[in-house]
Amino acid sequence: MRLIIVSGRSGSGKTIALRVLEDLGFYCVDNLPIMLLPTLVHAVQEQYQDVAVSIDVRNLPENPEQLSDALDFLPDKVAPEILFLDAEDKILLQRFGETRRMHPLSRHEMPLSEALQLEFKLLEPLAERATWRIESSDLSVHQLSEQVSERVLGRATSRLIVVFQSFGYKYGLPADLDYAFDARILPNPHWEPELKPLTGSDPAVQHFFAQQPLVTKFIYQLETFLATWLPHFQRSNRSYLTVGIGCTGGQHRSVYIAEQLAERFQGLDLKVQVRHRESHRRK
């Protein structure tokens, strides 16, 4: 039996994730007390092949050790996979403001910002054991649904999904990266007046980078590193790998390198995707 535990802070998208799993054929249970998880699994393992359970701050045990006990007491053939969702505090605050819903910890009459911080602390044991982490701050409902589906189906088909994601360090490090490579040491077309308003996807910027030996060497060494280790990820039954390429603003160097790497790994026994986190910031 396959068991997926969906968890994360309130407002991060757990309901959407559980709905996606239900559409994929999972038997889904929402808001199950963690101590009842072994009982549920023992009861349904002969009837259902795929089960998903949503666990959040409302149904965690007071003692963190009880959480480990509940996960470790599952049948030997059931190895739970944990999907943990989160978002930036300012985004969660905005979402609660828009929906006017009450946070589960608000009954303690604490400010919403403090409730979010406490919730993060209480859920940390689950986050540390996560199989997948999704940062939903910049994702639409459709994009979030797509990422949940990709992770689950990728594991089911044993086909590794590799995402090359560009980002800007000035806006923070993405929370769901498996690797992060810093391209800020490379020549920056931002200082070329005719190239500044463009991105790494534009031919003029691509021509600029193609003339830079340091950029060529950077890409070659990253390609060699990934070509060496990607087969090991595939053999370990990994379903999803996110490789981040960061520069200062996430518009030129990181975009170009992410696209170059994606082009080099396209056509192999992988599903390759490219995402540019800062594309919406382009003026």
Side-chain angles (χ1 to χ4, degrees):
M1 188 187 83
R2 187 180 188 190
L3 172 65
I4 295 180
I5 297 173
V6 179
S7 189
R9 287 200 288 177
S10 304
S12 60
K14 297 189 301 297
T15 300
I16 295 171
L18 203 65
R19 189 182 307 140
V20 170
L21 292 172
E22 188 172 26
D23 291 342
L24 291 175
F26 280 74
Y27 173 73
C28 296
V29 180
D30 190 15
N31 196 19
L32 180 76
I34 187 67
M35 300 309 297
L36 294 181
L37 181 60
T39 303
L40 171 72
V41 171
H42 282 281
V44 303
Q45 62 178 334
E46 299 298 331
Q47 185 176 0
Y48 298 101
Q49 186 64 34
D50 299 310
V51 176
V53 176
S54 174
I55 293 174
D56 59 34
V57 73
R58 294 170 295 176
N59 43 40
L60 287 177
E62 294 184 6
N63 186 345
E65 292 184 2
Q66 291 180 290
L67 171 61
S68 297
D69 291 342
L71 296 177
D72 295 338
F73 193 62
L74 295 171
D76 294 337
K77 295 182 179 180
V78 178
E81 301 167 279
I82 299 177
L83 172 61
F84 193 87
L85 299 103
D86 204 2
E88 299 174 5
D89 285 5
K90 64 178 181 180
I91 299 298
L92 295 177
L93 288 168
Q94 178 183 326
R95 290 173 182 172
F96 271 99
E98 291 172 350
T99 61
R100 298 184 180 181
R101 294 184 58 207
M102 181 176 292
H103 190 277
L105 297 177
S106 293
R107 64 180 183 275
H108 299 298
E109 298 183 356
M110 67 175 64
L112 179 56
S113 58
E114 292 183 17
L116 290 172
Q117 290 299 315
L118 176 59
E119 184 178 28
F120 181 82
K121 183 178 180 180
L122 293 173
L123 290 172
E124 196 167 9
L126 273 175
E128 290 175 348
R129 300 178 68 144
T131 310
W132 310 285
R133 295 188 67 143
I134 296 181
E135 224 286 345
S136 67
S137 298
D138 298 319
L139 300 180
S140 65
V141 171
H142 174 74
Q143 291 170 327
L144 176 57
S145 300
E146 188 177 68
Q147 288 205 24
V148 172
S149 180
E150 285 174 351
R151 282 159 168 77
V152 174
L153 294 179
R155 175 63 64 86
T157 60
S158 298
R159 189 182 182 195
L160 181 64
I161 299 171
V162 181
V163 179
F164 293 101
Q165 177 171 300
S166 68
F167 67 94
Y169 275 98
K170 67 188 292 184
Y171 304 112
L173 192 72
D176 54 355
L177 297 183
D178 295 294
Y179 287 108
F181 297 100
D182 191 344
R184 289 176 291 183
I185 57 172
L186 301 177
N188 189 358
H190 174 84
W191 304 112
E192 303 291 332
E194 69 277 12
L195 300 180
K196 180 178 179 179
L198 304 178
T199 75
S201 298
D202 292 305
V205 176
Q206 293 174 350
H207 178 75
F208 170 87
F209 283 130
Q211 309 307 309
Q212 306 293 329
L214 200 61
V215 175
T216 302
K217 183 177 182 179
F218 188 89
I219 294 173
Y220 170 76
Q221 292 187 340
L222 285 188
E223 180 184 2
T224 302
F225 173 83
L226 293 170
T228 300
W229 292 107
L230 282 178
H232 294 275
F233 280 101
Q234 288 176 297
R235 286 196 290 271
S236 66
N237 202 30
R238 183 71 175 265
S239 65
Y240 206 92
L241 186 75
T242 304
V243 179
I245 312 295
C247 61
T248 304
Q251 298 295 335
H252 297 104
R253 294 165 289 185
S254 60
V255 169
Y256 175 76
I257 293 168
E259 293 187 352
Q260 287 294 308
L261 289 171
E263 183 178 320
R264 283 161 168 76
F265 286 96
Q266 204 71 252
L268 301 178
D269 189 24
L270 304 166
K271 183 175 181 182
V272 178
Q273 300 177 0
V274 181
R275 295 198 180 112
H276 301 308
R277 192 185 71 171
E278 320 304 353
S279 60
H280 68 287
R281 303 183 193 273
R282 185 181 178 186
K283 295 182 180 180

